[in-house]
Amino acid sequence: MGSDYIHVFSPITIRGVEYKNRVELAPTSPKFTSKEGYLTKEHIDYFRAAARGGTAIITLGNCSVDIAHAQDEPRQVGLDNDDYLMGMGRFVDMCDRYGAIGSMEINHAGLDALYDFNGVPAIGPTSFILEREILRAKLAGREPVPAIEMTIDMIHAVQRMYIEAAYRCKRSGMKMCLVHGGHTNLIGQFSSPLYNRRKDEYGGSLENRARFAIEILDGIRNRCGQDFVIEFRISADEMHPDGMHFDETKEYMQMLDEKIDIVNVSCGIHTERKYFRYWSPNMYMSDMVNVPYARELKKILKCKINTVAGICNLDNAERIISEGWADFVSMARPLMADPEMVRKYAFNKPEEVRPCARCDYCSRRINGIRTVGCGINPML
């Protein structure tokens, strides 16, 4: 007997890569790496639970293309040299064992890199002192450190870091990666008028602000070849009054459409705390908060659409995919609460699922100095 969730469990093939269903474990950063960012057995086993539970894509979150200078949280996964390949390969082997596709969210924090971790000023499209840096400086008893505006040479050097990080994903056996272009990380800082005040070819018009991302994506395609799937995360609307809004995002994505295979549709920014909730909605917000943006992008783009935030169960997912609003769904906290969720729905046993309460106990732990935990999953 097959599952009643026929759209969720419909396989799909992209660039020769077959995905057994439409569910992605959204990028998470559980803090089980070594201090230097190497993947440990404990870190891989955290992701093993969702892979074993039937999730099609397993994504390691916030993997740094410059772990030495651009961390924005402790114990990120490192991607900036070949020493990391051994652990990455072990992660791929784990995913292969369960028929899952392993992926990494490759990222650079840009303006939000932590001076207290890195010992050097942050870098970005324009020199800024973020509100978060002012707060961190106050807590550390020091003066705020302004970020450095990147020179053209610095821009090209960091672009190469993204490209080589993606190539390390491929060398380790991965068939895809997720390039983080949202939440005002570095790529998002270049595309957003909120943080990009440059007067050269990387600032000003949307075409210029998109240049940083376009050159990275072109470089990844040239380096990794035609059989490598590129997913690209965006903030459809940054929600900040001075940020990038959806009308401009639609133009931006039409520029990138031919360069990516999947767009991962999120919202909000992380550089200012009050805009977190649009990519990590709290229990008082409605389900599927970003689906309206995905639905509109589905109408105008050729690439596949993935959507995230507030997709709490596969009833949500089945509706999204059956209505043609998106091709994939991503969820993080629901798969922390019950990493066996996908398997339970596959056997038509949704009543056995341990539902996520969106209490954010997980976030409160990892934003401190502890590893991830869950308020309702004692195994985690």
Side-chain angles (χ1 to χ4, degrees):
M1 182 175 65
S3 174
D4 292 339
Y5 299 83
I6 58 175
H7 295 88
V8 170
F9 290 103
S10 174
I12 186 171
T13 300
I14 304 171
R15 291 189 181 271
V17 179
E18 182 171 331
Y19 300 87
K20 63 184 179 182
N21 60 54
R22 307 302 183 87
V23 183
E24 175 177 336
L25 173 62
T28 52
S29 183
K31 308 290 194 295
F32 293 125
T33 65
S34 70
K35 183 179 179 181
E36 298 80 14
Y38 292 99
L39 288 175
T40 62
K41 181 180 184 298
E42 189 176 16
H43 198 96
I44 293 169
D45 283 346
Y46 165 82
F47 290 94
R48 182 187 302 275
R52 185 177 54 221
T55 303
I57 306 172
I58 307 296
T59 312
L60 276 65
N62 201 15
C63 304
S64 181
V65 303
D66 187 6
I67 196 76
H69 305 108
Q71 289 189 76
D72 66 342
E73 60 178 345
R75 296 183 183 269
Q76 290 176 248
V77 176
L79 283 174
D80 59 3
N81 69 72
D82 287 355
D83 289 345
Y84 293 106
L85 286 169
M86 187 72 72
M88 294 165 67
R90 292 177 65 197
F91 168 70
V92 173
D93 289 343
M94 180 278 291
C95 291
D96 287 348
R97 177 174 181 174
Y98 302 105
I101 303 297
S103 181
M104 285 185 160
E105 179 185 56
I106 65 175
N107 191 34
H108 189 296
L111 296 168
D112 204 31
L114 295 169
Y115 176 79
D116 300 292
F117 283 2
N118 305 306
V120 295
I123 61 173
T126 313
S127 180
F128 267 88
I129 301 178
L130 299 182
E131 288 182 9
R132 293 178 71 186
E133 167 58 15
I134 294 171
L135 176 60
R136 290 188 293 248
K138 184 177 180 180
L139 291 172
R142 59 173 175 79
E143 290 297 314
V145 178
I148 295 171
E149 180 171 316
M150 295 168 70
T151 65
I152 297 298
D153 286 345
M154 291 169 70
I155 287 172
H156 293 164
V158 172
Q159 287 175 326
R160 288 192 294 272
M161 290 179 181
Y162 277 96
I163 294 163
E164 290 306 309
Y167 188 54
R168 287 188 183 96
C169 290
K170 179 165 185 176
R171 288 172 63 196
S172 71
M174 292 180 210
K175 300 172 182 176
M176 68 179 295
C177 73
L178 170 59
V179 180
H180 202 335
H183 302 164
T184 58
N185 288 285
L186 185 59
I187 293 176
Q189 290 161 19
F190 268 90
S191 61
S192 175
L194 177 62
Y195 294 122
N196 188 341
R197 312 286 174 81
R198 300 178 72 93
K199 305 299 183 183
D200 61 9
E201 65 267 37
Y202 288 94
S205 68
L206 177 59
E207 182 180 13
N208 282 356
R209 286 184 278 122
R211 192 183 307 277
F212 186 71
I214 287 171
E215 291 175 350
I216 288 170
L217 294 170
D218 284 344
I220 291 173
R221 177 61 66 212
N222 290 336
R223 190 80 165 110
C224 296
Q226 297 300 315
D227 60 347
F228 190 74
V229 174
I230 301 173
E231 187 174 9
F232 187 78
R233 172 167 268 197
I234 61 164
S235 291
D237 194 304
E238 293 179 340
M239 301 300 178
H240 191 289
D242 300 321
M244 192 168 180
H245 299 298
F246 190 47
D247 285 345
E248 194 170 43
T249 301
K250 288 189 284 188
E251 294 181 52
Y252 178 49
M253 289 315 304
Q254 287 174 310
M255 296 177 186
L256 304 187
D257 193 13
E258 300 285 349
K259 303 175 185 300
I260 62 176
D261 303 297
I262 307 168
V263 57
N264 188 298
V265 182
S266 185
C267 272
I269 62 178
H270 73 71
T271 44
E272 295 189 31
R273 182 71 197 181
K274 61 184 175 181
Y275 301 104
F276 274 35
R277 66 184 185 274
Y278 297 104
W279 57 273
S280 184
N282 60 45
M283 64 175 66
Y284 304 107
M285 297 172 70
S286 62
D287 286 0
M288 304 186 289
V289 291
N290 294 329
V291 170
Y293 301 105
R295 184 171 58 212
E296 291 303 306
L297 289 171
K298 181 70 176 168
K299 296 175 183 177
I300 63 172
L301 300 180
K302 297 176 183 177
C303 68
K304 303 301 181 184
I305 308 294
N306 192 351
T307 186
V308 68
I311 302 168
C312 297
N313 52 59
L314 294 200
D315 293 284
N316 290 159
E318 181 68 14
R319 183 183 179 199
I320 290 166
I321 297 167
S322 66
E323 294 284 354
W325 298 339
D327 303 285
F328 293 90
V329 299
S330 289
M331 51 181 72
R333 291 172 295 176
L335 289 170
M336 294 181 196
D338 193 343
E340 296 286 328
M341 175 197 288
V342 176
R343 186 181 303 282
K344 290 173 181 178
Y345 275 94
F347 285 98
N348 292 322
K349 295 182 178 180
E351 70 280 0
E352 294 185 4
V353 172
R354 182 170 50 242
C356 173
R358 288 200 285 194
C359 65
D360 265 353
Y361 177 73
C362 52
S363 295
R364 290 197 299 274
R365 280 185 61 100
I366 61 173
N367 286 331
I369 56 172
R370 295 183 287 180
T371 55
V372 73
C374 178
I376 63 170
N377 179 0
M379 294 298 290
L380 182 55

